[in-house]
């Protein structure tokens, strides 16, 4: 398992599109936090609250994850890993851990870019540094991982770059953008497709649980499908 993880993170380091996505988030974060958000918010705590729960750009992260995993099927990397004797569960788990870490890192850079660029213009408010906000951020990362686990499932169903990208984009667009913007029933707002909107500890607890259960369900389904596939 360690060797698989090491291989996945090595491939991430050599994944050019990942750097393009990171640069994109840093640039728009700096521009937004330094030039746009100062007109609407008074302190860094408010900017943090606005950006940490933003799902509008999750589709870009999901496309990067789908591309990263999908090309392993087209290049027969997964076939070679199976031939080397690695279990299918460990192969899937290592890829999921890699793309979920990538997604959390990009999200963290996005939030940090907005907050720090805003602070450079309006000053830094230490109220943003509290345990509630830390738990809020962690909860959103768990929710992000649940969303990405859906991308993993789609990729292991389609087993192609084009298919995983096309279906993943529709999946995230529908769940994290369209439904998130127009659905306000509690059953949806507590789901991982609507990132936690405040740092209320009770809400964070239930949102984290729902996200974790969703992640497990998507992962288990992907494992069953992968085990039954004819990839050799």
């Amino acid at each position: 398992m360690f060797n698989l993880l090491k291989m996945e993170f090595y491939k991430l380091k050599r994944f050019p599109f990942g750097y393009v996505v990171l640069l994109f988030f840093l640039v728009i974060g700096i521009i937004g936090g330094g030039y746009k958000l100062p007109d609407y918010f008074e302190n860094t705590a408010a900017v943090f609250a606005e950006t940490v729960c933003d799902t509008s750009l999750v589709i870009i992260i999901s496309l990067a994850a789908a591309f990263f995993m999908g090309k392993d099927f087209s290049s027969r990397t997964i076939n070679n890993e199976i031939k080397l004797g690695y279990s299918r569960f460990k192969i899937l788990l290592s890829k999921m851990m890699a793309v979920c870490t990538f997604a959390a890192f990009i999200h963290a850079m996005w939030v940090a870019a907005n907050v720090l660029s805003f602070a450079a213009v309006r000053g830094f408010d230490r109220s943003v540094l509290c345990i509630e906000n830390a738990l809020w951020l962690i909860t959103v990362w768990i929710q992000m991982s649940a969303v990405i686990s859906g991308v993993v499932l789609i990729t292991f169903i389609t087993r192609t770059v084009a298919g995983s990208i096309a279906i993943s984009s529709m999946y995230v667009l529908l769940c994290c953008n369209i439904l998130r913007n127009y659905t306000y029933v509690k059953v949806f707002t507590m789901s991982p497709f609507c990132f936690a909107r405040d740092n209320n500890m009770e809400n964070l607890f239930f949102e984290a649980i729902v996200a974790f259960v969703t992640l497990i369900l998507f992962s288990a389904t992907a494992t069953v499908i992968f085990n039954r596939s004819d990839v050799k």
Side-chain angles (χ1 to χ4, degrees):
M1 183 65 187
F2 176 76
N3 288 335
L4 284 172
L5 278 174
K6 186 177 179 181
M7 187 187 308
E8 292 303 320
F9 284 107
Y10 175 77
K11 289 190 298 183
L12 271 177
K13 291 179 182 178
R14 299 175 64 86
F15 181 46
F17 188 62
Y19 291 99
V20 172
V21 172
L22 174 60
L23 181 61
F24 172 77
F25 274 85
L26 287 176
V27 169
I28 63 172
I30 292 171
I31 293 174
Y35 297 95
K36 180 180 178 181
L37 297 183
D39 294 334
Y40 300 95
F41 301 99
E42 296 295 328
N43 54 56
T44 50
V47 172
F48 175 87
E50 176 69 15
T51 56
V52 72
C53 62
D54 186 6
T55 61
S56 60
L57 298 175
V58 175
I59 188 171
I60 299 175
I61 299 175
S62 299
L63 292 181
F67 181 32
F68 176 76
M69 291 183 293
K71 66 187 182 67
D72 279 353
F73 283 100
S74 60
S75 65
R76 298 187 64 82
T77 299
I78 290 181
N79 302 65
N80 293 332
E81 290 172 342
I82 293 174
K83 290 177 181 179
L84 288 172
Y86 293 110
S87 73
R88 297 193 178 207
F89 173 73
K90 290 181 179 179
I91 292 172
L92 188 148
L93 181 61
S94 64
K95 295 185 185 302
M96 178 171 292
M97 291 176 67
V99 292
C100 286
T101 301
F102 168 79
F105 180 75
I106 295 295
H107 179 265
M109 292 301 99
W110 156 252
V111 174
N114 277 279
V115 170
L116 294 179
S117 59
F118 177 90
V121 175
R122 298 289 294 271
F124 188 77
D125 175 16
R126 292 187 178 181
S127 65
V128 72
L129 302 176
C130 62
I131 186 64
E132 290 84 3
N133 283 347
L135 293 175
W136 189 0
L137 183 60
I138 292 171
T139 299
V140 169
W141 286 345
I142 298 173
Q143 293 178 309
M144 175 79 78
S145 296
V147 173
I148 296 300
S149 68
V151 176
V152 173
L153 172 58
I154 291 168
T155 303
F156 276 79
I157 290 174
T158 63
R159 302 201 298 275
T160 64
V161 175
S164 60
I165 289 177
I167 299 176
S168 293
S169 63
M170 291 187 290
Y171 150 70
V172 177
L173 180 65
L174 174 64
C175 296
C176 295
N177 293 85
I178 297 175
L179 291 179
R180 198 260 189 184
N181 292 332
Y182 298 102
T183 305
Y184 302 99
V185 293
K186 192 169 184 178
V187 67
F188 181 78
T189 58
M190 296 295 286
S191 77
F193 306 110
C194 181
F195 290 172
R197 294 179 173 178
D198 57 52
N199 59 8
N200 179 283
M201 297 299 289
E202 183 178 353
N203 288 342
L204 292 180
F205 174 78
F206 284 107
E207 287 162 342
I209 293 297
V210 172
F212 185 73
V213 171
T214 303
L215 189 155
I216 295 298
L217 289 175
F218 279 153
S219 302
T221 305
T223 301
V224 172
I225 291 172
F226 188 34
N227 284 335
R228 293 181 177 179
S229 67
D230 60 354
V231 180
K232 298 179 181 180

